[in-house]
Amino acid sequence: MIAGFRAHENVEVTAICDIDEERLRQAADRHAIRNRFTDFDRMLESDIDLVFVATPMHLHVPQTLTALNAGKHVMSEVTAAVSVEQCRELFDGVQRAKKSGLKYMMAENVCFEWDSLIIRNMVRKGLFGELYFGEGEYLHEIRALHYDDGGTPTWRSRWQVGVNGCTYGTHSLGPVLEWFDDRVDWVVCLGSGRHTAPEHEAEDTTTMLCKTTSGALIKIRVDMLSNRPHGGIYLALQGTKGCYEASRGFRGRPKVWLDDFEETSAGGNGHDGSGREWRPLADFEDEFLPDFWKNAPPEAFASAHGGTDFFVVNDIIAAIREDKEPEIDVYRALDYTLPGLMSQISIAQHGRPVKVPDFRAGEWT
């Protein structure tokens, strides 16, 4: 994220905080950051405008609220919160902070990826017709991060795989919800059982079915344990006039089929799909990739995750300078986070449907 901040012409990284003095020194030296703190409150007393909260998940809300109360804008890592009560505290705290002009954003970078943005703009042009099914997968084997070099469990062991359900589902759910411009109303969650690392509470693969308020279906799969190559993010979309499937790796390419661009091949009438041909998503880049992606400085793509960390930074800086809401404000942050929290209840009750609280209506249970 430091590279993402430094690629922006209006940002200077001036302070860094870590409770581990040696890690703090190494990071600050590596990135030439002059102001170094082991105490979060002391850092907030320094001359900074924006705090990026990149601590363990259970600290996101308390540290976000502390920073907002100190008069700082905040960008927080995912997920927004680890409980419904934390969600409520975050929502109330951000609403109070807005009165002082402070901004809050959750840094869900997948929403800013090349393919996610192209599909979103194509959806808004109506090219997929009425949307009724979406899909997201986050397949990332990170068992080495669950324990430190001495074998002591890390925070990830407790908060990512120490809880059963699609708890870490914002990477796959976020961009799909942006396409649907909707929120999840109900969830059902089931798991595969514990096979690879049975000492963890999380099952190897969990799948969450989401019913949106418009009646659409979204399928989310999360797997951070299974033995497999890194799968990254897989996304798919189906509408009445077209469909999209991301690459699943191994030299695959993201592809779309659109009724409006139909070119029936010889020997097929299209009634059974035999005459329909995929097109590379790249064919639509010139028309539907946002200008902020096309006009980004070369330094942007030196940041992590294919440059998306820069675009997350760019969004909150624009929100601050132009006094507008970030793309992923507290409303969308909770829309991405709450379904995963409800999935924990569903999977514990053998897949019982569980309603997602509509916090916009003041419902939290």
Side-chain angles (χ1 to χ4, degrees), residues 49-76:
D49 303 300
L50 167 69
V51 174
F52 176 54
V53 176
T55 47
M57 290 164 58
H58 64 294
L59 300 176
H60 292 175
V61 169
Q63 291 186 326
T64 290
L65 296 179
T66 299
L68 289 172
N69 290 336
K72 313 300 182 183
H73 305 287
V74 175
M75 184 162 70
S76 169

Side-chain angles (χ1 to χ4, degrees), residues 280-324:
L281 182 63
D283 287 359
F284 299 89
E285 178 177 345
D286 288 345
E287 184 174 357
F288 293 104
L289 186 64
D291 288 339
F292 70 77
W293 238 90
K294 297 176 183 176
N295 301 328
E299 295 83 3
F301 299 98
S303 65
H305 304 105
T308 57
D309 287 355
F310 166 80
F311 295 113
V312 173
V313 170
N314 188 59
D315 190 75
I316 193 169
I317 298 304
I320 294 169
R321 293 170 64 86
E322 300 170 23
D323 192 22
K324 63 180 183 179

Side-chain angles (χ1 to χ4, degrees), residues 114-115 118-119 122 128 179 234-238 242-249 251-258 276-284:
W114 170 86
D115 50 350
I118 293 176
I119 295 299
M122 294 172 72
F128 290 90
W179 300 341
Y234 172 78
L235 302 171
L237 180 66
Q238 181 68 58
C243 54
Y244 164 70
E245 292 184 2
S247 166
R248 287 188 178 273
R251 298 184 293 277
R253 292 190 296 170
K255 55 189 183 293
V256 295
W257 175 84
L258 299 169
R276 295 171 180 165
E277 300 290 341
W278 292 103
R279 292 183 61 176
L281 182 63
D283 287 359
F284 299 89

